[in-house]
Amino acid sequence: MKVLRMSDTDLRNKRVLIREDLNVPVQDGKVSSDARIRAALATIRYAIDQHARVFVMSHLGRPKEGQEDPALSLAPVATRLSELLGKPVPLRKGWLDGVDCPPGTAVLCENVRFNKGEKQDDEQLARRMAGLCDVFVMDAFGTAHRAEASTHGVARFAPVACAGPLLVGELEALERALQNPARPLVAVVGGSKVSTKLMVLEALLEKVDQLIVGGGIANTFLAATGVAVGKSLCETEMLDVARRLLDKARSRGANIPLPTDVVVAREFAATAHADVRPVDQVRADEMILDIGPDTADHWGVLLQAAGTIIWNGPVGVFEFEQFGDGTRVIAQAIARGKAFSLAGGGDTLAAIEKYGIEDGISYISTGGGAFLEFVEGKTLPAVAMLEQRARG
Ligand code: ADP
Ligand code: MG
């Protein structure tokens, strides 16, 4: 990654427009989880300390473009951001027509998606945003995979365009895990469907030593090898794909370990009775909802020996207590091991939080979609634009 960094850019007394991802959950007019705001604090504080005039922008939710929707106003975010910074950060509406504030202070620009043309990366809109600033700082990794006016277009036209520390941190962690990883490189891909993670599985198979598949994805792989999976979530239309991936792994000398025992139930419910079975003894009226204890132990050993771990997707229905042990054991093994570990994905982050292992993961990616697209080997348009600007 060759981009200009914010830390190498002169911000003193400059008008600095920072794109963050402050798309946080809001309930009854209050921010209910402020993790994304906290993650952006260091960047905003740095710019303030440099005596910049700081204009922060972000999207929130999916408003109808060109229309102000009070339910998706960033007002609650401005309130929380002010509290966390210990300084007032007023919300500015109509900021496209001009925005300013004294050096060493910050304002928050109202939801970028209220502007017509934001999602289409409209050039006129991007030029207007760029005209507001001397320096544009792209710091929103979570939206870097989308070419939008406030992430990509503005970076094209701003006098100076650089990457913020949050974005740089994400990219460095991903590059460390994928470009020259300490071996063995072990990936854990769980979740419900092969179809939604096919590109990720394909890309990882080019690189990994072990590809551990869990969740509904493992069911499809099991079925592909001839195991009867009963009523389990399993994509019959993906069986050929799963067989091809198994062949691809074999031809590279990589391994896709499959569960040898599983936790089953007759219904998908929080109250369902759970049984452990060897994988070849799942009954016709049962579904596999977690990996079994032997499998979890075995995979735990593989993970403890890893040099690098990439984790996306829980290996069971961890939302229900009786099907959470597999994900818990895997999570704890990753946290205990010495590997450089990188985790991403909405439900994966929820599992990390549930089992309280945040401190054991080397890097937790904040961007679900952007994380997966990077792992797939795709270029993130907003990052590509920063690279283009750095080449001059
Ligand atoms: P992430 O958000 O981290 O990318 P996914 O959305 O792909 O993860 O997958 C998470 C979902 O997969 C969870 O809701 C979990 O309940 C579900 N899941 C895991 N194992 C199974 C299984 N065996 N059968 C059905 N669903 C499963
Ligand atoms: Mg998910």
Short mmCIF file of all heavy atoms in Angstrom, two decimals, residues 344-386:
data_model
loop_
_atom_site.label_atom_id
_atom_site.label_comp_id
_atom_site.label_asym_id
_atom_site.label_seq_id
_atom_site.Cartn_x
_atom_site.Cartn_y
_atom_site.Cartn_z
N GLY A 344 -12.64 -10.64 11.47
CA GLY A 344 -13.58 -9.68 10.92
C GLY A 344 -14.92 -10.32 10.64
O GLY A 344 -15.02 -11.55 10.55
N GLY A 345 -15.95 -9.48 10.51
CA GLY A 345 -17.30 -9.96 10.25
C GLY A 345 -18.22 -9.60 11.41
O GLY A 345 -17.81 -9.68 12.57
N GLY A 346 -19.44 -9.23 11.09
CA GLY A 346 -20.38 -8.76 12.11
C GLY A 346 -20.61 -9.77 13.22
O GLY A 346 -20.48 -9.47 14.41
N ASP A 347 -20.96 -11.00 12.84
CA ASP A 347 -21.24 -12.02 13.85
C ASP A 347 -19.97 -12.50 14.54
O ASP A 347 -19.99 -12.87 15.71
CB ASP A 347 -21.98 -13.20 13.21
CG ASP A 347 -23.37 -12.79 12.75
OD1 ASP A 347 -24.25 -12.63 13.62
OD2 ASP A 347 -23.57 -12.59 11.54
N THR A 348 -18.86 -12.48 13.82
CA THR A 348 -17.58 -12.86 14.42
C THR A 348 -17.22 -11.88 15.55
O THR A 348 -16.80 -12.31 16.64
CB THR A 348 -16.47 -12.85 13.34
OG1 THR A 348 -16.92 -13.63 12.24
CG2 THR A 348 -15.18 -13.42 13.88
N LEU A 349 -17.42 -10.59 15.30
CA LEU A 349 -17.15 -9.59 16.32
C LEU A 349 -18.09 -9.79 17.53
O LEU A 349 -17.68 -9.61 18.68
CB LEU A 349 -17.29 -8.18 15.75
CG LEU A 349 -15.98 -7.54 15.27
CD1 LEU A 349 -15.24 -8.40 14.29
CD2 LEU A 349 -16.21 -6.16 14.70
N ALA A 350 -19.34 -10.15 17.24
CA ALA A 350 -20.29 -10.41 18.33
C ALA A 350 -19.82 -11.59 19.18
O ALA A 350 -19.91 -11.57 20.41
CB ALA A 350 -21.68 -10.67 17.77
N ALA A 351 -19.28 -12.62 18.51
CA ALA A 351 -18.79 -13.80 19.24
C ALA A 351 -17.56 -13.43 20.07
O ALA A 351 -17.42 -13.85 21.23
CB ALA A 351 -18.45 -14.93 18.25
N ILE A 352 -16.66 -12.63 19.50
CA ILE A 352 -15.46 -12.21 20.22
C ILE A 352 -15.85 -11.46 21.49
O ILE A 352 -15.29 -11.67 22.57
CB ILE A 352 -14.57 -11.33 19.30
CG1 ILE A 352 -13.91 -12.19 18.24
CG2 ILE A 352 -13.54 -10.54 20.11
CD1 ILE A 352 -13.21 -11.42 17.15
N GLU A 353 -16.87 -10.61 21.35
CA GLU A 353 -17.34 -9.84 22.50
C GLU A 353 -18.00 -10.78 23.52
O GLU A 353 -17.74 -10.70 24.72
CB GLU A 353 -18.35 -8.80 22.00
CG GLU A 353 -18.52 -7.62 22.92
CD GLU A 353 -19.40 -6.55 22.25
OE1 GLU A 353 -19.13 -6.19 21.08
OE2 GLU A 353 -20.35 -6.11 22.88
N LYS A 354 -18.83 -11.70 23.01
CA LYS A 354 -19.55 -12.61 23.90
C LYS A 354 -18.58 -13.43 24.77
O LYS A 354 -18.83 -13.64 25.95
CB LYS A 354 -20.44 -13.54 23.07
CG LYS A 354 -21.17 -14.58 23.89
CD LYS A 354 -22.30 -15.25 23.11
CE LYS A 354 -23.03 -16.22 24.04
NZ LYS A 354 -24.20 -16.82 23.39
N TYR A 355 -17.48 -13.88 24.16
CA TYR A 355 -16.55 -14.74 24.91
C TYR A 355 -15.40 -13.93 25.52
O TYR A 355 -14.46 -14.51 26.09
CB TYR A 355 -16.06 -15.88 24.02
CG TYR A 355 -17.22 -16.72 23.51
CD1 TYR A 355 -17.50 -16.86 22.17
CD2 TYR A 355 -18.10 -17.32 24.43
CE1 TYR A 355 -18.60 -17.58 21.72
CE2 TYR A 355 -19.20 -18.04 23.99
CZ TYR A 355 -19.44 -18.16 22.63
OH TYR A 355 -20.54 -18.87 22.21
N GLY A 356 -15.47 -12.61 25.38
CA GLY A 356 -14.54 -11.72 26.08
C GLY A 356 -13.08 -11.94 25.74
O GLY A 356 -12.22 -11.90 26.61
N ILE A 357 -12.77 -12.17 24.45
CA ILE A 357 -11.38 -12.46 24.09
C ILE A 357 -10.75 -11.36 23.24
O ILE A 357 -9.75 -11.57 22.56
CB ILE A 357 -11.28 -13.81 23.33
CG1 ILE A 357 -12.24 -13.83 22.14
CG2 ILE A 357 -11.57 -14.99 24.25
CD1 ILE A 357 -11.64 -14.41 20.91
N GLU A 358 -11.34 -10.16 23.31
CA GLU A 358 -10.85 -9.03 22.49
C GLU A 358 -9.34 -8.87 22.61
O GLU A 358 -8.64 -8.66 21.61
CB GLU A 358 -11.49 -7.71 22.92
CG GLU A 358 -12.98 -7.59 22.63
CD GLU A 358 -13.84 -8.02 23.80
OE1 GLU A 358 -13.33 -8.78 24.65
OE2 GLU A 358 -15.01 -7.62 23.85
N ASP A 359 -8.82 -8.96 23.83
CA ASP A 359 -7.40 -8.68 24.05
C ASP A 359 -6.49 -9.73 23.44
O ASP A 359 -5.29 -9.48 23.23
CB ASP A 359 -7.10 -8.60 25.56
CG ASP A 359 -7.77 -7.37 26.18
OD1 ASP A 359 -8.20 -6.50 25.40
OD2 ASP A 359 -7.87 -7.31 27.42
N GLY A 360 -7.03 -10.92 23.14
CA GLY A 360 -6.21 -11.99 22.59
C GLY A 360 -6.12 -11.97 21.07
O GLY A 360 -5.39 -12.76 20.48
N ILE A 361 -6.87 -11.08 20.42
CA ILE A 361 -6.84 -11.01 18.96
C ILE A 361 -5.92 -9.85 18.57
O ILE A 361 -6.04 -8.76 19.10
CB ILE A 361 -8.27 -10.74 18.40
CG1 ILE A 361 -9.28 -11.75 18.95
CG2 ILE A 361 -8.27 -10.72 16.88
CD1 ILE A 361 -9.24 -13.10 18.32
N SER A 362 -5.00 -10.12 17.63
CA SER A 362 -4.03 -9.08 17.27
C SER A 362 -4.71 -7.91 16.61
O SER A 362 -4.39 -6.76 16.87
CB SER A 362 -2.96 -9.64 16.33
OG SER A 362 -2.45 -10.85 16.81
N TYR A 363 -5.63 -8.19 15.71
CA TYR A 363 -6.32 -7.10 15.03
C TYR A 363 -7.77 -7.47 14.74
O TYR A 363 -8.03 -8.51 14.13
CB TYR A 363 -5.61 -6.70 13.73
CG TYR A 363 -6.03 -5.32 13.28
CD1 TYR A 363 -5.37 -4.19 13.73
CD2 TYR A 363 -7.16 -5.15 12.48
CE1 TYR A 363 -5.80 -2.92 13.38
CE2 TYR A 363 -7.60 -3.89 12.13
CZ TYR A 363 -6.91 -2.78 12.58
OH TYR A 363 -7.34 -1.52 12.24
N ILE A 364 -8.69 -6.64 15.21
CA ILE A 364 -10.11 -6.86 14.94
C ILE A 364 -10.55 -5.84 13.92
O ILE A 364 -10.50 -4.64 14.17
CB ILE A 364 -10.94 -6.74 16.24
CG1 ILE A 364 -10.46 -7.80 17.25
CG2 ILE A 364 -12.42 -6.91 15.93
CD1 ILE A 364 -11.17 -7.73 18.60
N SER A 365 -10.93 -6.31 12.75
CA SER A 365 -11.29 -5.40 11.67
C SER A 365 -12.68 -4.83 11.92
O SER A 365 -13.59 -5.54 12.31
CB SER A 365 -11.28 -6.14 10.33
OG SER A 365 -11.69 -5.26 9.30
N THR A 366 -12.81 -3.52 11.67
CA THR A 366 -14.11 -2.88 11.91
C THR A 366 -15.03 -2.98 10.69
O THR A 366 -16.21 -2.71 10.78
CB THR A 366 -13.92 -1.38 12.22
OG1 THR A 366 -13.17 -0.79 11.15
CG2 THR A 366 -13.18 -1.18 13.53
N GLY A 367 -14.48 -3.38 9.56
CA GLY A 367 -15.29 -3.35 8.34
C GLY A 367 -15.65 -4.73 7.85
O GLY A 367 -14.81 -5.44 7.32
N GLY A 368 -16.91 -5.13 8.01
CA GLY A 368 -17.34 -6.47 7.59
C GLY A 368 -17.17 -6.68 6.09
O GLY A 368 -16.37 -7.50 5.64
N GLY A 369 -17.91 -5.90 5.29
CA GLY A 369 -17.88 -6.06 3.83
C GLY A 369 -16.51 -5.76 3.25
O GLY A 369 -16.01 -6.49 2.39
N ALA A 370 -15.90 -4.68 3.73
CA ALA A 370 -14.58 -4.29 3.20
C ALA A 370 -13.52 -5.34 3.56
O ALA A 370 -12.65 -5.66 2.76
CB ALA A 370 -14.18 -2.92 3.76
N PHE A 371 -13.63 -5.88 4.76
CA PHE A 371 -12.71 -6.94 5.21
C PHE A 371 -12.79 -8.14 4.26
O PHE A 371 -11.78 -8.64 3.78
CB PHE A 371 -13.09 -7.34 6.64
CG PHE A 371 -12.41 -8.57 7.18
CD1 PHE A 371 -11.13 -8.50 7.70
CD2 PHE A 371 -13.07 -9.79 7.21
CE1 PHE A 371 -10.52 -9.63 8.21
CE2 PHE A 371 -12.46 -10.92 7.72
CZ PHE A 371 -11.18 -10.85 8.22
N LEU A 372 -14.03 -8.59 4.00
CA LEU A 372 -14.19 -9.77 3.13
C LEU A 372 -13.70 -9.48 1.71
O LEU A 372 -13.05 -10.32 1.10
CB LEU A 372 -15.65 -10.22 3.12
CG LEU A 372 -16.13 -10.81 4.45
CD1 LEU A 372 -17.62 -11.11 4.43
CD2 LEU A 372 -15.35 -12.08 4.80
N GLU A 373 -13.99 -8.29 1.20
CA GLU A 373 -13.55 -7.97 -0.17
C GLU A 373 -12.03 -7.91 -0.26
O GLU A 373 -11.45 -8.32 -1.26
CB GLU A 373 -14.19 -6.66 -0.65
CG GLU A 373 -15.68 -6.84 -0.89
CD GLU A 373 -16.29 -5.81 -1.83
OE1 GLU A 373 -15.54 -5.09 -2.51
OE2 GLU A 373 -17.53 -5.75 -1.88
N PHE A 374 -11.39 -7.41 0.79
CA PHE A 374 -9.92 -7.38 0.78
C PHE A 374 -9.38 -8.81 0.78
O PHE A 374 -8.47 -9.15 0.03
CB PHE A 374 -9.39 -6.60 1.99
CG PHE A 374 -7.92 -6.29 1.89
CD1 PHE A 374 -7.49 -5.02 1.52
CD2 PHE A 374 -6.96 -7.27 2.14
CE1 PHE A 374 -6.13 -4.72 1.41
CE2 PHE A 374 -5.60 -6.98 2.03
CZ PHE A 374 -5.19 -5.71 1.67
N VAL A 375 -9.97 -9.67 1.62
CA VAL A 375 -9.53 -11.07 1.68
C VAL A 375 -9.74 -11.74 0.33
O VAL A 375 -8.94 -12.56 -0.10
CB VAL A 375 -10.27 -11.83 2.81
CG1 VAL A 375 -9.93 -13.31 2.77
CG2 VAL A 375 -9.92 -11.23 4.17
N GLU A 376 -10.83 -11.36 -0.35
CA GLU A 376 -11.10 -11.91 -1.69
C GLU A 376 -10.08 -11.47 -2.72
O GLU A 376 -10.07 -11.97 -3.84
CB GLU A 376 -12.49 -11.46 -2.16
CG GLU A 376 -13.64 -12.15 -1.46
CD GLU A 376 -14.99 -11.49 -1.76
OE1 GLU A 376 -15.09 -10.71 -2.72
OE2 GLU A 376 -15.94 -11.78 -1.00
N GLY A 377 -9.24 -10.50 -2.35
CA GLY A 377 -8.22 -10.02 -3.27
C GLY A 377 -8.69 -8.86 -4.13
O GLY A 377 -8.02 -8.46 -5.08
N LYS A 378 -9.87 -8.33 -3.82
CA LYS A 378 -10.37 -7.20 -4.60
C LYS A 378 -9.68 -5.91 -4.16
O LYS A 378 -9.29 -5.77 -3.01
CB LYS A 378 -11.88 -7.03 -4.37
CG LYS A 378 -12.69 -8.16 -4.95
CD LYS A 378 -14.17 -7.77 -5.01
CE LYS A 378 -15.02 -8.93 -5.50
NZ LYS A 378 -16.25 -9.06 -4.75
N THR A 379 -9.55 -4.96 -5.08
CA THR A 379 -9.04 -3.66 -4.66
C THR A 379 -10.21 -2.85 -4.13
O THR A 379 -11.31 -2.88 -4.65
CB THR A 379 -8.41 -2.88 -5.82
OG1 THR A 379 -9.19 -3.12 -6.97
CG2 THR A 379 -6.98 -3.31 -6.07
N LEU A 380 -9.93 -2.12 -3.05
CA LEU A 380 -10.94 -1.26 -2.46
C LEU A 380 -10.86 0.09 -3.19
O LEU A 380 -9.81 0.72 -3.16
CB LEU A 380 -10.68 -1.10 -0.96
CG LEU A 380 -10.51 -2.42 -0.19
CD1 LEU A 380 -10.20 -2.15 1.29
CD2 LEU A 380 -11.74 -3.30 -0.32
N PRO A 381 -11.94 0.50 -3.86
CA PRO A 381 -11.87 1.69 -4.72
C PRO A 381 -11.33 2.93 -4.01
O PRO A 381 -10.52 3.67 -4.59
CB PRO A 381 -13.32 1.92 -5.16
CG PRO A 381 -14.04 0.68 -4.87
CD PRO A 381 -13.27 -0.12 -3.87
N ALA A 382 -11.75 3.16 -2.78
CA ALA A 382 -11.30 4.38 -2.08
C ALA A 382 -9.79 4.32 -1.82
O ALA A 382 -9.10 5.33 -1.90
CB ALA A 382 -12.06 4.57 -0.78
N VAL A 383 -9.28 3.12 -1.55
CA VAL A 383 -7.84 2.95 -1.32
C VAL A 383 -7.09 3.10 -2.65
O VAL A 383 -6.04 3.74 -2.71
CB VAL A 383 -7.54 1.59 -0.66
CG1 VAL A 383 -6.04 1.39 -0.51
CG2 VAL A 383 -8.25 1.49 0.69
N ALA A 384 -7.65 2.53 -3.70
CA ALA A 384 -7.02 2.64 -5.02
C ALA A 384 -6.88 4.11 -5.42
O ALA A 384 -5.87 4.51 -6.01
CB ALA A 384 -7.85 1.88 -6.06
N MET A 385 -7.89 4.92 -5.08
CA MET A 385 -7.82 6.35 -5.41
C MET A 385 -6.71 7.04 -4.62
O MET A 385 -5.96 7.86 -5.17
CB MET A 385 -9.18 7.01 -5.14
CG MET A 385 -9.22 8.49 -5.44
SD MET A 385 -8.63 8.94 -7.09
CE MET A 385 -9.95 8.29 -8.12
N LEU A 386 -6.56 6.68 -3.35
CA LEU A 386 -5.48 7.27 -2.55
C LEU A 386 -4.12 6.87 -3.12
O LEU A 386 -3.18 7.67 -3.16
CB LEU A 386 -5.58 6.82 -1.08
CG LEU A 386 -6.79 7.31 -0.28
CD1 LEU A 386 -6.77 6.71 1.12
CD2 LEU A 386 -6.82 8.84 -0.20
#
